[in-house]
Amino acid sequence: MKEHQIQVRVRYSETDQMSVVYHGNYVPYFEMGRVEWLRNKGISYKSLEESGIALPIVSMTINYKKPARYDDLLTVITKFKSQSSVKVEFDCEIWNNENELLTTAHFILVFVNINTGKPIAPPEYILNIMKS
């Protein structure tokens, strides 16, 4: 399965005075989606870090189409796009409970050795998971 979904309810603290989600708060929603995509594939981000590997974002593009609002129940869809050498790419979407597409995003992340900060090839077990 190349796609995974989670649901997130918009909290009051994530909105501005007009009850609209502040644009910077979409990044954590997408991060939750990517972490859960990995977990669903049997990859614990915590254990990845404990083994000395980080997966920082090196590029992100976000397109805001409609606002999310306080108390909306959002569906965050994370889609694996590709993996090559040291990087992995995801396409993501956020939908509201009225089935309206609110936001789309594209992320590029790089596998990095935590101690050196240098890009590294992912472990074989991760390559196998991403190929399946």
Side-chain angles (χ1 to χ4, degrees):
M1 183 168 83
K2 301 244 182 215
E3 178 179 303
H4 185 68
Q5 296 183 12
I6 63 165
Q7 290 194 307
V8 177
R9 182 152 321 261
V10 175
R11 297 173 291 194
Y12 185 77
S13 63
E14 297 165 339
T15 63
D16 61 18
Q17 194 172 13
M18 298 174 291
S19 296
V20 171
V21 172
Y22 172 71
H23 72 276
N25 286 325
Y26 288 85
V27 176
Y29 297 158
F30 288 124
E31 181 179 18
M32 286 185 273
R34 286 191 315 276
V35 167
E36 293 304 318
W37 185 93
L38 289 166
R39 186 185 321 276
N40 186 283
K41 300 291 183 208
I43 303 168
S44 160
Y45 198 86
K46 182 178 180 181
S47 66
L48 200 60
E49 288 182 333
E50 288 170 348
S51 72
I53 300 171
L55 198 53
I57 295 170
V58 295
S59 176
M60 70 176 156
T61 305
I62 301 175
N63 294 300
Y64 302 97
K65 299 179 179 304
K66 290 186 169 194
R69 299 185 180 278
Y70 170 63
D71 207 38
D72 280 354
L73 183 60
L74 306 177
T75 300
V76 180
I77 300 173
T78 304
K79 300 175 185 177
F80 172 76
K81 183 172 183 184
S82 67
Q83 190 279 319
S84 59
S85 65
V86 300
K87 70 180 180 180
V88 61
E89 297 185 45
F90 291 97
D91 286 326
C92 306
E93 300 172 347
I94 295 179
W95 295 75
N96 67 12
N97 49 332
E98 279 129 36
N99 209 27
E100 296 174 308
L101 179 61
L102 304 182
T103 311
T104 61
H106 178 77
F107 293 90
I108 301 174
L109 298 92
V110 172
F111 291 91
V112 173
N113 179 303
I114 288 176
N115 296 323
T116 66
K118 300 214 185 270
I120 58 171
E124 194 66 33
Y125 78 95
I126 291 178
L127 288 174
N128 291 335
I129 289 170
M130 292 189 177
K131 288 177 186 172
S132 64

